[in-house]
Amino acid sequence: MSETASATTTASGKTPVDFWFDPLCPWAWMTSRWVLEVEKLRDIEVHWHIMSLAVLNEDKLDQLPEEYREMMTTTAWGPVRVVTAAWQKHGHDVLGPLYTALGTRFHNRGEGPTREAMIAALEEAGLPTELVEYADQDDFEFEAELRASHKEGIDKVGQEVGTPVIALPGPDGEQIAFFGPVVTPAPKGEQAAKLWDGTIAVASIPGFYEIKRTRTQGPVFDD
């Protein structure tokens, strides 16, 4: 069953913002920390959803650099399987806390997507550590649910993008969806609010597709 918000406001009267992430992606992590900052400053409520870099790239592995190709066929599957299993067995509300616990270890602390980091994150999020066993489950029990969630996000923006995908109600009630923004470090305070307002403004223009420049800096994680 889809968890995407269909109403223009939540029960709390806030605007629902749907955010698709892969826990392995450092750029999605930066954007997620920004949107949580925006949640403090604008009347929005973030709802988390899963997408998968491994699924996104599985049909174009031969086009990827060798190191990235190896990551997509091995490392990338474990964390997203663990998060999907947690969602399916313990409900949608565990996604935000688990993502924060995983991302803090993977990215901010530099532990990477290790088994130990996933176990510690599950424990911090109040979830059974046995969920880590799903990381290595090749015949993944919740494969269909993972792929359906991924497809729902990607269908909103098209195939030539990655993670994150953000969607929210537009002026006519239809969802506005976009990839990104890609930003580092995650803006705080007024800068976060200004970036949000600008992103929503351009995304709401019919026919608008892209603003882009070459990245000259890698992700800068907060302590």
Side-chain angles (χ1 to χ4, degrees):
M1 181 176 68
S2 168
E3 293 287 352
T4 299
S6 57
T8 56
T9 58
T10 66
S12 62
K14 297 184 178 183
T15 299
V17 173
D18 294 291
F19 190 110
W20 278 262
F21 69 93
D22 183 314
L24 190 64
C25 178
W27 295 104
W29 174 248
M30 303 299 297
T31 307
S32 74
R33 299 311 94 182
W34 162 70
V35 84
L36 285 177
E37 180 76 2
V38 173
E39 197 175 41
K40 303 172 188 175
L41 303 165
R42 294 290 185 265
D43 222 15
I44 68 169
E45 184 174 294
V46 181
H47 300 268
W48 303 100
H49 308 272
I50 299 163
M51 63 183 298
S52 168
L53 289 173
V55 172
L56 185 70
N57 288 288
E58 64 184 354
D59 292 331
K60 48 188 175 186
L61 291 173
D62 59 344
Q63 304 170 31
L64 303 177
E66 183 177 351
E67 182 178 351
Y68 194 69
R69 181 168 63 247
E70 183 178 354
M71 182 187 301
M72 289 303 102
T73 57
T74 55
T75 313
W77 284 106
V80 77
R81 284 172 176 160
V82 170
V83 175
T84 302
W87 161 42
Q88 289 298 303
K89 295 177 76 70
H90 298 278
H92 185 262
D93 289 346
V94 307
L95 286 176
L98 181 55
Y99 182 29
T100 291
L102 286 167
T104 299
R105 286 169 173 78
F106 289 1
H107 307 300
N108 293 55
R109 299 182 188 173
E111 296 176 23
T114 64
R115 183 180 180 87
E116 293 75 18
M118 288 188 280
I119 289 172
L122 287 164
E123 187 173 27
E124 181 182 329
L127 292 164
T129 58
E130 292 81 6
L131 287 167
V132 77
E133 302 302 331
Y134 284 97
D136 300 318
Q137 191 181 78
D138 290 334
D139 187 16
F140 182 45
E141 180 178 347
F142 303 111
E143 183 82 12
E145 290 82 357
L146 166 59
R147 289 180 179 273
S149 180
H150 173 88
K151 183 177 185 300
E152 184 175 25
I154 286 295
D155 281 352
K156 295 180 183 298
V157 290
Q159 295 297 318
E160 297 307 316
V161 299
T163 173
V165 169
I166 297 178
L168 71 161
D172 59 358
E174 294 294 322
Q175 278 196 319
I176 300 169
F178 52 88
F179 159 65
V182 176
V183 61
T184 186
K188 298 286 196 302
E190 186 58 27
Q191 279 197 331
K194 285 175 66 176
L195 178 58
W196 176 257
D197 294 343
T199 302
I200 298 310
V202 297
S204 67
I205 302 301
F208 172 82
Y209 292 105
E210 187 173 7
I211 292 177
K212 191 172 183 178
R213 62 176 178 170
T214 300
R215 279 178 278 181
T216 59
Q217 183 178 19
V220 177
F221 305 117
D222 294 331
D223 295 332

